Amino acid sequence: MATTLIEELAIWDVELEQLTSAGDIAFRYGALRAHLDTLYRLDLIDDAERRERQELADAAYAHVIDTALSPGSGDRML
C-alpha cells in the first residue's frame, strides 16, 4: 500500500507541474482534482492531505489564469 501511495502521489505531482504547461488547463485542472478525489476515496490519503493538495492545485490554476490574462501575455495559454 505504501508503494502505491508513493507512486500515485508522484504521478499527482507531475500532473500538478503539467498544469502550468500549454494546453487545455481547465481539462488538466479537472483531471488533477479527479485524481485527488480518487486517492481520497481509496483511503490512500486523509482529508487533511486532500485539502492541502487541493490548495496547491487551486493556487497553480489561479497562477496560470493570472499569467495568461496579464498584459502582454497575448492569451497564449487559454
Side-chain angles (χ1 to χ4, degrees):
M1 174 91 84
T3 300
T4 301
L5 175 59
I6 291 168
E7 291 170 352
E8 287 297 323
L9 292 180
I11 292 168
W12 192 90
D13 289 337
V14 168
E15 290 174 347
L16 179 64
E17 289 199 21
Q18 289 176 348
L19 178 64
T20 60
S21 65
D24 186 347
I25 59 171
F27 175 80
R28 289 175 186 257
Y29 176 71
L32 189 62
R33 289 192 63 165
H35 189 177
L36 193 58
D37 288 342
T38 300
L39 294 174
Y40 177 72
R41 281 194 310 273
L42 293 173
D43 287 327
L44 292 174
I45 59 173
D46 62 16
D47 193 49
E49 178 77 11
R50 183 175 119 182
R51 283 193 312 265
E52 181 179 330
R53 287 183 177 269
Q54 184 59 54
E55 288 177 12
L56 290 171
D58 292 347
Y61 185 69
H63 175 73
V64 170
I65 297 298
D66 288 345
T67 300
L69 296 178
S70 66
S73 71
D75 292 335
R76 63 184 166 263
M77 294 179 66
L78 292 178

